[in-house]
Amino acid sequence: MGAAARTPAPPSGLAAAAEPEERELEAALRPKTLDDFVGQERVRKQLALVLAASRIRGRSADHVLMSGPPGLGKTTLAMIIASEMNAPLRISSGPAIQHAGDLAAILSSLTEGEVLFLDEIHRMSRPAEEMLYMAMEDYRVDIIVGKGAGATAIPLELPPFTLVGATTRAGLLPGPLRDRFGFTGHLEFYSVAELELVLRRSAGMLDLKLTSAGFAEIAGRSRGTPRIANRLLRRVRDWALVHGIETIDTSTASAALDMYEVDARGLDRLDRSVLEALVNKFNGGPVGLSTLAIAVGEEPETVETVAEPFLVREGLLGRTPRGRIAMPAAWDHLGLRMPGNAVAAAMLPFDEDDIDD
């Protein structure tokens, strides 16, 4: 049963690891009800209807799948589902379930109506995934006893429960698993206006005073992600506290975030390193992922999963069949003039399955 826990693991974000006090503060800022949850209007309304219907029927809610980039509220929504259904919450993750026995141990200990949250569900092992099919559909699992020809399957009945799965890569989920979820919600990046609402709520809980321009400055550097917005708010709070500033305005927020190397567009040190390497060392590309990663002193997976998604979404970096290229906006952001041969590279056709060296 070590694969499951009843308290959430600290989410990954702009900072690598948060101290216990930081994690507690982050948990305290999470909204507790759907009414308090800011943004994701479509998903919120659909989910509210699903939960209300379940309460009227007096049954557990349908299984829920939440997909979308990190930091947009998948874990928070799982907690809200448990709270709205007045049910206990069990938390685990796909990577923690590497054997069918790990999943069987979790499922066999669930109580009626309990909400089981599986983060990064697409990373579960195949045997555990196949066991989950029957558990979700028939509330039953088969426990295999023995080996070889003498092995027997003992059916174990499960109480009705609600599975909430979260994934950052919905395309990796097999069709049979996706089809067993009664509701699927995709979370989108937040607008600056929505992030300002998130920050206003958090500032009220932290007893901070900010001007409207101060909220806008932090929101504009938060990469469309509430988790990052709240983290930057806390860093700005620390900077203001050390400098004896009571009301945080644009200049205060800007000075604080500049010190933490988060620029006006939300790019951090790694993002700028990738763009600067592309522009200064490879004349805008194209260059393979492995070569680019070596140039910035990071692992290829870090560049691909941490920096690239935001840079591509912002139109600063492009992926082509020949490798990564710096887009015209990247040159502008770095204050450099784009040479003619880089313009030609930027016109290369794009391909998601780009060839890498």
Side-chain angles (χ1 to χ4, degrees), residues 279-299:
V279 168
N280 296 325
K281 296 180 180 179
F282 304 106
N283 198 34
V287 61
L289 175 62
S290 300
T291 303
L292 183 59
I294 292 172
V296 298
E298 297 284 353
E299 293 295 322

Side-chain angles (χ1 to χ4, degrees), residues 70-146:
L72 299 185
K74 297 186 291 294
T75 303
T76 298
L77 283 172
M79 295 178 175
I80 288 175
I81 289 171
S83 176
E84 297 272 350
M85 297 301 295
N86 196 26
L89 175 67
R90 185 81 59 93
I91 294 179
S92 187
S93 66
I97 302 175
Q98 291 304 309
H99 306 283
D102 298 333
L103 181 62
I106 297 172
L107 294 174
S108 63
S109 65
L110 293 175
T111 58
E112 185 170 351
E114 189 163 358
V115 175
L116 171 61
F117 175 58
L118 290 183
D119 197 12
E120 295 299 296
I121 191 171
H122 64 273
R123 296 176 61 189
M124 269 199 336
S125 67
R126 182 54 60 87
E129 190 178 278
E130 292 174 353
M131 175 181 282
L132 192 58
Y133 295 162
M134 186 180 296
M136 293 173 68
E137 203 160 50
D138 302 326
Y139 298 110
R140 179 173 72 89
V141 294
D142 289 337
I143 306 298
I144 307 299
V145 178

